[in-house]
Amino acid sequence: MRRWAAALRAAAGPAAGPGSCRSRFDFGGRDVASWFPGHMAKGLRQMRGALRRADCLIEVHDARIPLSGRNPMLQEALGIRPHILVLNKMDLADPHQQPIVPLVAKLVSNSPRYQRAENVEYCIMVIGVPNMGKSSLINSLRRLHLKKGKATAVGGEPGITKAVLTRIQVCEKPLIYLVDTPGVLPPKLEDVETGMKLALCGAIRDHLVGEDIMADYLLYTLNKHQQFRYVQRYGLAEACDDIERVLKHVALTLGKTRKVKVLTGTGNVNVTMLDYSAAAYEFIRAFRAGHLGRVTLD
Ligand SMILES: Nc1nc2c(ncn2[C@@H]2O[C@H](COP(=O)(O)OP(=O)(O)OP(=O)(O)O)[C@@H](O)[C@H]2O)c(=O)[nH]1
Ligand SMILES: [Mg+2]
Protein backbone atom coordinates (compact mmCIF):
# COMPACT_ATOMS: atom_id res chain seq x y z
CA MET A 1 0.00 0.00 0.00
CA ARG A 2 2.78 2.37 0.96
CA ARG A 3 4.57 1.52 -2.28
CA TRP A 4 1.50 2.54 -4.25
CA ALA A 5 1.32 5.84 -2.43
CA ALA A 6 4.97 6.47 -3.21
CA ALA A 7 4.42 5.58 -6.86
CA LEU A 8 1.41 7.90 -7.06
CA ARG A 9 3.39 10.74 -5.53
CA ALA A 10 6.18 10.18 -8.04
CA ALA A 11 3.67 10.14 -10.91
CA ALA A 12 2.03 13.32 -9.71
CA GLY A 13 5.39 15.06 -9.81
CA PRO A 14 6.22 18.47 -8.40
CA ALA A 15 3.50 20.27 -10.39
CA ALA A 16 0.62 18.52 -8.65
CA GLY A 17 -2.57 20.45 -7.83
CA PRO A 18 -3.19 22.64 -4.77
CA GLY A 19 -4.32 19.66 -2.68
CA SER A 20 -0.77 18.41 -2.65
CA CYS A 21 0.91 21.66 -1.57
CA ARG A 22 3.57 21.34 1.09
CA SER A 23 2.51 22.66 4.45
CA ARG A 24 6.11 23.30 5.46
CA PHE A 25 9.17 24.23 3.50
CA ASP A 26 12.35 22.31 4.08
CA PHE A 27 15.21 24.79 4.27
CA GLY A 28 17.76 21.99 4.35
CA GLY A 29 19.73 23.38 7.31
CA ARG A 30 20.86 26.51 5.46
CA ASP A 31 22.48 29.28 7.48
CA VAL A 32 21.34 32.82 6.79
CA ALA A 33 24.62 34.25 8.12
CA SER A 34 26.22 33.45 4.78
CA TRP A 35 23.62 35.63 3.04
CA PHE A 36 25.08 38.78 4.51
CA PRO A 37 27.83 39.92 2.14
CA GLY A 38 30.93 41.51 3.65
CA HIS A 39 30.45 44.88 1.98
CA MET A 40 27.21 45.35 3.88
CA ALA A 41 28.98 45.34 7.24
CA LYS A 42 31.06 48.22 5.95
CA GLY A 43 27.96 49.92 4.59
CA LEU A 44 26.23 49.62 7.96
CA ARG A 45 29.22 51.19 9.74
CA GLN A 46 29.20 54.11 7.32
CA MET A 47 25.46 54.53 7.74
CA ARG A 48 25.80 54.67 11.53
CA GLY A 49 28.20 57.58 11.07
CA ALA A 50 25.95 59.31 8.54
CA LEU A 51 22.89 58.90 10.78
CA ARG A 52 24.29 61.50 13.15
CA ARG A 53 24.01 64.10 10.41
CA ALA A 54 20.59 63.03 9.16
CA ASP A 55 17.45 65.00 10.04
CA CYS A 56 14.94 62.50 8.79
CA LEU A 57 14.86 58.95 7.53
CA ILE A 58 12.99 57.60 4.56
CA GLU A 59 12.87 53.87 4.78
CA VAL A 60 11.96 52.24 1.50
CA HIS A 61 10.52 48.79 1.82
CA ASP A 62 8.69 46.34 -0.36
CA ALA A 63 4.94 46.39 0.22
CA ARG A 64 4.96 42.64 -0.22
CA ILE A 65 7.07 42.22 2.93
CA PRO A 66 6.08 45.04 5.28
CA LEU A 67 7.39 43.19 8.33
CA SER A 68 10.24 40.99 7.13
CA GLY A 69 13.73 42.34 6.97
CA ARG A 70 13.15 45.79 8.46
CA ASN A 71 16.60 46.68 9.80
CA PRO A 72 16.69 46.84 13.62
CA MET A 73 19.87 48.90 13.42
CA LEU A 74 17.80 51.70 11.98
CA GLN A 75 15.36 51.49 14.88
CA GLU A 76 17.96 53.11 17.18
CA ALA A 77 17.58 56.36 15.33
CA LEU A 78 13.86 56.12 14.74
CA GLY A 79 12.81 57.30 18.18
CA ILE A 80 14.56 60.60 17.73
CA ARG A 81 14.40 61.13 13.98
CA PRO A 82 11.24 61.63 11.96
CA HIS A 83 10.67 58.42 10.11
CA ILE A 84 8.77 57.85 6.88
CA LEU A 85 8.09 54.31 5.85
CA VAL A 86 7.47 54.09 2.13
CA LEU A 87 5.84 50.81 1.15
CA ASN A 88 6.93 50.61 -2.43
CA LYS A 89 5.89 48.19 -5.20
CA MET A 90 2.32 48.31 -3.96
CA ASP A 91 1.16 47.13 -7.38
CA LEU A 92 2.87 43.82 -6.74
CA ALA A 93 1.48 43.20 -3.28
CA ASP A 94 -1.57 41.07 -2.61
CA PRO A 95 -4.41 43.49 -1.84
CA HIS A 96 -6.12 40.85 0.33
CA GLN A 97 -3.15 40.38 2.62
CA GLN A 98 -3.42 42.53 5.72
CA PRO A 99 -0.20 42.84 7.73
CA ILE A 100 -1.76 45.13 10.31
CA VAL A 101 -2.76 42.63 13.00
CA PRO A 102 0.67 40.96 13.30
CA LEU A 103 2.28 44.40 13.33
CA VAL A 104 -0.02 45.65 16.09
CA ALA A 105 0.65 42.51 18.15
CA LYS A 106 4.39 42.95 17.79
CA LEU A 107 4.39 46.67 18.57
CA VAL A 108 2.19 46.32 21.64
CA SER A 109 4.11 43.37 23.04
CA ASN A 110 7.40 45.23 22.59
CA SER A 111 6.39 48.46 24.30
CA PRO A 112 5.49 49.25 27.93
CA ARG A 113 1.74 49.19 28.62
CA TYR A 114 1.89 50.74 32.11
CA GLN A 115 -1.45 50.45 33.92
CA ARG A 116 -2.83 48.38 31.03
CA ALA A 117 -0.19 45.66 31.38
CA GLU A 118 -2.65 43.24 33.03
CA ASN A 119 -5.17 43.46 30.16
CA VAL A 120 -5.03 40.56 27.74
CA GLU A 121 -6.81 42.55 25.10
CA TYR A 122 -5.25 45.18 22.90
CA CYS A 123 -7.09 48.42 22.32
CA ILE A 124 -6.10 50.47 19.28
CA MET A 125 -7.42 53.86 18.29
CA VAL A 126 -7.72 54.54 14.56
CA ILE A 127 -7.19 58.19 13.77
CA GLY A 128 -6.82 60.44 10.75
CA VAL A 129 -8.34 63.25 8.74
CA PRO A 130 -11.89 62.66 7.41
CA ASN A 131 -12.76 60.28 4.60
CA MET A 132 -9.44 58.46 4.46
CA GLY A 133 -10.89 55.00 5.04
CA LYS A 134 -10.54 54.53 8.80
CA SER A 135 -13.95 52.89 9.16
CA SER A 136 -13.43 50.84 5.98
CA LEU A 137 -10.17 49.56 7.40
CA ILE A 138 -11.86 48.48 10.63
CA ASN A 139 -14.62 46.69 8.71
CA SER A 140 -12.19 44.92 6.44
CA LEU A 141 -10.00 43.73 9.32
CA ARG A 142 -13.09 42.39 11.05
CA ARG A 143 -14.21 40.66 7.87
CA LEU A 144 -10.76 39.19 7.34
CA HIS A 145 -10.08 37.87 10.85
CA LEU A 146 -13.54 37.22 12.27
CA LYS A 147 -15.55 36.72 9.05
CA LYS A 148 -18.04 39.18 10.51
CA GLY A 149 -20.03 41.89 8.76
CA LYS A 150 -19.85 45.65 8.82
CA ALA A 151 -19.66 47.19 12.30
CA THR A 152 -19.16 50.86 11.49
CA ALA A 153 -20.67 53.09 8.82
CA VAL A 154 -18.66 53.99 5.73
CA GLY A 155 -19.42 56.64 3.13
CA GLY A 156 -18.02 58.71 0.32
CA GLU A 157 -18.17 62.02 2.14
CA PRO A 158 -16.34 63.42 5.16
CA GLY A 159 -17.92 63.20 8.59
CA ILE A 160 -19.58 59.81 8.35
CA THR A 161 -18.19 58.81 11.74
CA LYS A 162 -19.39 61.53 14.07
CA ALA A 163 -18.11 60.46 17.47
CA VAL A 164 -15.62 58.18 19.14
CA LEU A 165 -17.42 54.86 18.90
CA THR A 166 -17.50 51.91 21.25
CA ARG A 167 -14.69 49.52 20.59
CA ILE A 168 -15.06 47.00 17.78
CA GLN A 169 -13.50 43.56 17.96
CA VAL A 170 -11.48 42.69 14.88
CA CYS A 171 -9.42 39.70 15.98
CA GLU A 172 -9.62 36.78 18.41
CA LYS A 173 -5.96 35.82 18.81
CA PRO A 174 -4.63 38.19 19.96
CA LEU A 175 -7.82 39.78 21.21
CA ILE A 176 -7.80 43.13 19.41
CA TYR A 177 -10.36 45.91 19.60
CA LEU A 178 -10.27 48.97 17.38
CA VAL A 179 -11.80 52.28 18.30
CA ASP A 180 -13.22 54.25 15.38
CA THR A 181 -12.96 58.01 15.66
CA PRO A 182 -14.36 60.95 13.70
CA GLY A 183 -11.98 62.32 11.13
CA VAL A 184 -10.47 65.56 12.37
CA LEU A 185 -8.59 68.20 10.42
CA PRO A 186 -5.75 70.21 11.95
CA PRO A 187 -7.29 73.35 13.51
CA LYS A 188 -5.01 75.44 11.35
CA LEU A 189 -4.19 74.19 7.87
CA GLU A 190 -0.66 74.88 6.72
CA ASP A 191 -1.74 76.76 3.61
CA VAL A 192 -4.45 76.89 0.97
CA GLU A 193 -2.75 74.32 -1.21
CA THR A 194 -2.78 71.80 1.63
CA GLY A 195 -6.47 72.48 2.05
CA MET A 196 -7.07 72.07 -1.67
CA LYS A 197 -5.34 68.68 -1.70
CA LEU A 198 -7.37 67.57 1.30
CA ALA A 199 -10.54 68.75 -0.41
CA LEU A 200 -9.74 66.86 -3.63
CA CYS A 201 -9.29 63.72 -1.54
CA GLY A 202 -12.67 64.33 0.05
CA ALA A 203 -11.52 65.35 3.52
CA ILE A 204 -13.27 68.72 3.38
CA ARG A 205 -16.83 69.22 2.21
CA ASP A 206 -16.86 70.36 -1.44
CA HIS A 207 -19.25 73.26 -0.92
CA LEU A 208 -16.97 74.82 1.71
CA VAL A 209 -14.13 75.05 -0.79
CA GLY A 210 -16.11 75.50 -4.00
CA GLU A 211 -16.28 73.00 -6.86
CA ASP A 212 -15.07 75.53 -9.46
CA ILE A 213 -11.73 76.25 -7.77
CA MET A 214 -11.29 72.59 -6.90
CA ALA A 215 -11.82 71.56 -10.52
CA ASP A 216 -9.32 74.19 -11.63
CA TYR A 217 -6.72 73.05 -9.10
CA LEU A 218 -7.33 69.47 -10.20
CA LEU A 219 -6.68 70.39 -13.83
CA TYR A 220 -3.48 72.20 -12.80
CA THR A 221 -2.37 69.17 -10.82
CA LEU A 222 -3.10 66.69 -13.60
CA ASN A 223 -1.13 68.78 -16.08
CA LYS A 224 1.73 69.25 -13.63
CA HIS A 225 1.98 65.51 -13.17
CA GLN A 226 1.58 64.96 -16.91
CA GLN A 227 -1.44 62.82 -16.27
CA PHE A 228 -3.40 63.48 -19.43
CA ARG A 229 -6.06 60.82 -19.32
CA TYR A 230 -8.76 63.51 -19.16
CA VAL A 231 -7.91 64.61 -22.72
CA GLN A 232 -9.26 61.45 -24.32
CA ARG A 233 -11.98 60.87 -21.73
CA TYR A 234 -13.62 64.20 -22.46
CA GLY A 235 -12.83 64.36 -26.17
CA LEU A 236 -10.37 67.24 -26.06
CA ALA A 237 -7.93 67.66 -28.93
CA GLU A 238 -4.96 68.09 -26.63
CA ALA A 239 -3.94 68.87 -23.05
CA CYS A 240 -5.29 72.21 -21.96
CA ASP A 241 -4.85 74.46 -18.97
CA ASP A 242 -8.12 76.37 -19.36
CA ILE A 243 -10.67 74.94 -16.92
CA GLU A 244 -13.64 76.47 -18.72
CA ARG A 245 -12.73 74.76 -21.95
CA VAL A 246 -12.22 71.46 -20.15
CA LEU A 247 -15.51 71.75 -18.26
CA LYS A 248 -17.30 72.57 -21.50
CA HIS A 249 -16.09 69.26 -22.91
CA VAL A 250 -17.02 67.46 -19.68
CA ALA A 251 -20.53 68.90 -19.87
CA LEU A 252 -20.88 68.04 -23.56
CA THR A 253 -19.56 64.49 -23.10
CA LEU A 254 -21.81 63.76 -20.14
CA GLY A 255 -24.81 65.80 -21.23
CA LYS A 256 -24.70 68.11 -18.24
CA THR A 257 -27.11 70.83 -19.25
CA ARG A 258 -29.77 72.93 -17.60
CA LYS A 259 -32.74 74.81 -18.97
CA VAL A 260 -32.79 78.54 -18.42
CA LYS A 261 -35.71 80.87 -19.11
CA VAL A 262 -34.64 83.90 -21.10
CA LEU A 263 -36.81 86.97 -21.62
CA THR A 264 -36.78 88.22 -25.17
CA GLY A 265 -38.74 90.89 -26.99
CA THR A 266 -41.18 88.26 -28.26
CA GLY A 267 -41.67 86.48 -24.93
CA ASN A 268 -40.03 83.81 -22.77
CA VAL A 269 -37.71 81.34 -24.43
CA ASN A 270 -36.27 78.22 -22.83
CA VAL A 271 -32.58 77.96 -23.56
CA THR A 272 -30.44 74.92 -22.85
CA MET A 273 -27.15 75.89 -21.23
CA LEU A 274 -24.14 73.84 -20.25
CA ASP A 275 -24.09 73.19 -16.51
CA TYR A 276 -20.52 74.09 -15.52
CA SER A 277 -21.12 73.43 -11.87
CA ALA A 278 -22.35 69.87 -12.50
CA ALA A 279 -19.44 69.37 -14.90
CA ALA A 280 -16.97 70.47 -12.21
CA TYR A 281 -18.44 67.92 -9.78
CA GLU A 282 -18.20 65.21 -12.42
CA PHE A 283 -14.57 66.09 -13.09
CA ILE A 284 -13.78 65.87 -9.36
CA ARG A 285 -15.78 62.67 -8.93
CA ALA A 286 -13.95 61.04 -11.84
CA PHE A 287 -10.63 61.92 -10.24
CA ARG A 288 -11.69 60.48 -6.86
CA ALA A 289 -12.80 57.26 -8.52
CA GLY A 290 -9.40 56.93 -10.19
CA HIS A 291 -10.76 57.42 -13.73
CA LEU A 292 -8.33 60.26 -14.46
CA GLY A 293 -5.31 58.15 -13.56
CA ARG A 294 -3.30 57.48 -10.43
CA VAL A 295 -1.84 60.70 -9.04
CA THR A 296 0.00 61.42 -5.82
CA LEU A 297 -0.78 64.99 -4.90
CA ASP A 298 2.09 65.75 -2.48
N1 LIG B 1 -10.32 53.62 -3.72
C1 LIG B 1 -10.38 53.34 -2.41
N2 LIG B 1 -11.40 53.83 -1.70
C2 LIG B 1 -11.45 53.54 -0.39
C3 LIG B 1 -10.47 52.74 0.25
N3 LIG B 1 -10.78 52.64 1.56
C4 LIG B 1 -11.91 53.36 1.73
N4 LIG B 1 -12.34 53.89 0.56
C5 LIG B 1 -13.52 54.74 0.34
O1 LIG B 1 -13.28 55.98 0.99
C6 LIG B 1 -14.49 56.53 1.46
C7 LIG B 1 -14.37 56.89 2.94
O2 LIG B 1 -14.30 55.72 3.69
P1 LIG B 1 -14.60 55.71 5.28
O3 LIG B 1 -14.12 54.40 5.78
O4 LIG B 1 -15.98 56.11 5.58
O5 LIG B 1 -13.59 56.87 5.76
P2 LIG B 1 -13.36 57.47 7.24
O6 LIG B 1 -11.92 57.78 7.34
O7 LIG B 1 -13.95 56.55 8.25
O8 LIG B 1 -14.20 58.81 7.13
P3 LIG B 1 -14.83 59.72 8.35
O9 LIG B 1 -15.62 58.80 9.21
O10 LIG B 1 -15.67 60.69 7.62
O11 LIG B 1 -13.68 60.35 9.02
C8 LIG B 1 -15.58 55.50 1.18
O12 LIG B 1 -16.24 55.88 -0.01
C9 LIG B 1 -14.80 54.23 0.97
O13 LIG B 1 -15.49 53.33 0.13
C10 LIG B 1 -9.38 52.22 -0.56
O14 LIG B 1 -8.47 51.53 -0.11
N5 LIG B 1 -9.41 52.58 -1.88
MG1 LIG C 1 -15.43 56.81 9.60
Side-chain angles (χ1 to χ4, degrees):
M1 189 66 183
R2 215 176 280 155
R3 243 182 32 223
W4 273 112
L8 279 173
R9 266 203 305 277
S20 66
C21 278
R22 290 164 294 178
S23 59
R24 284 184 62 228
F25 186 83
D26 179 7
F27 291 101
R30 281 176 178 76
D31 181 10
V32 290
S34 63
W35 298 355
F36 188 82
H39 76 269
M40 286 193 187
K42 190 174 159 205
L44 269 178
R45 268 198 309 277
Q46 291 175 343
M47 284 165 70
R48 265 202 195 94
L51 263 177
R52 268 180 245 125
R53 296 186 298 275
D55 293 305
C56 177
L57 294 172
I58 296 179
E59 184 179 356
V60 182
H61 206 65
D62 193 318
R64 291 169 296 180
I65 43 166
L67 302 175
S68 302
R70 303 264 318 280
N71 195 330
M73 183 234 122
L74 300 174
Q75 303 288 337
E76 295 165 14
L78 298 187
I80 40 172
R81 303 281 199 283
H83 172 214
I84 300 168
L85 174 63
V86 177
L87 288 181
N88 208 15
K89 306 191 185 176
M90 206 64 104
D91 54 315
L92 301 173
D94 180 353
H96 302 297
Q97 277 280 350
Q98 296 254 17
I100 295 171
V101 161
L103 181 60
V104 162
K106 195 170 153 203
L107 284 174
V108 174
S109 64
N110 289 346
S111 56
R113 296 179 73 202
Y114 307 104
Q115 76 275 17
R116 301 181 316 281
E118 301 293 300
N119 285 5
V120 286
E121 68 224 30
Y122 295 172
C123 179
I124 288 96
M125 200 155 115
V126 181
I127 60 167
V129 296
N131 206 35
M132 297 291 109
K134 297 178 288 299
S135 304
S136 306
L137 175 73
I138 294 173
N139 285 333
S140 74
L141 285 174
R142 188 172 152 88
R143 195 163 53 239
L144 184 77
H145 297 286
L146 295 179
K147 311 270 177 292
K148 292 240 173 97
K150 209 162 137 182
T152 177
V154 163
E157 53 189 87
I160 295 290
T161 309
K162 293 197 167 49
V164 175
L165 300 186
T166 48
R167 58 191 204 160
I168 296 165
Q169 189 187 346
V170 297
C171 187
E172 193 68 54
K173 274 187 185 160
L175 187 51
I176 295 184
Y177 292 93
L178 298 191
V179 177
D180 201 0
T181 66
V184 284
L185 288 167
K188 213 171 160 258
L189 289 176
E190 233 164 274
D191 49 38
V192 182
E193 188 157 21
T194 306
M196 203 60 79
K197 289 175 184 175
L198 282 164
L200 278 183
C201 293
I204 304 175
R205 286 189 178 279
D206 296 337
H207 72 267
L208 295 177
V209 181
E211 75 281 2
D212 44 358
I213 180 91
M214 283 168 67
D216 197 12
Y217 181 76
L218 172 57
L219 178 63
Y220 155 81
T221 302
L222 292 173
N223 287 333
K224 193 171 80 176
H225 289 87
Q226 307 203 358
Q227 180 55 268
F228 301 125
R229 209 180 276 191
Y230 69 92
V231 174
Q232 203 193 356
R233 185 177 173 89
Y234 300 118
L236 285 136
E238 58 192 350
C240 154
D241 211 16
D242 175 1
I243 188 63
E244 262 191 50
R245 190 139 64 91
V246 173
L247 290 184
K248 185 177 169 183
H249 277 80
V250 174
L252 286 170
T253 311
L254 302 172
K256 295 286 171 195
T257 54
R258 62 196 169 97
K259 292 223 160 36
V260 184
K261 225 175 237 169
V262 179
L263 284 174
T264 67
T266 52
N268 289 353
V269 184
N270 278 330
V271 182
T272 303
M273 308 249 303
L274 293 177
D275 190 339
Y276 281 87
S277 179
Y281 273 123
E282 280 303 326
F283 191 45
I284 296 164
R285 245 197 302 275
F287 166 73
R288 287 180 179 154
H291 299 321
L292 304 184
R294 295 171 81 151
V295 185
T296 300
L297 300 176
D298 276 333

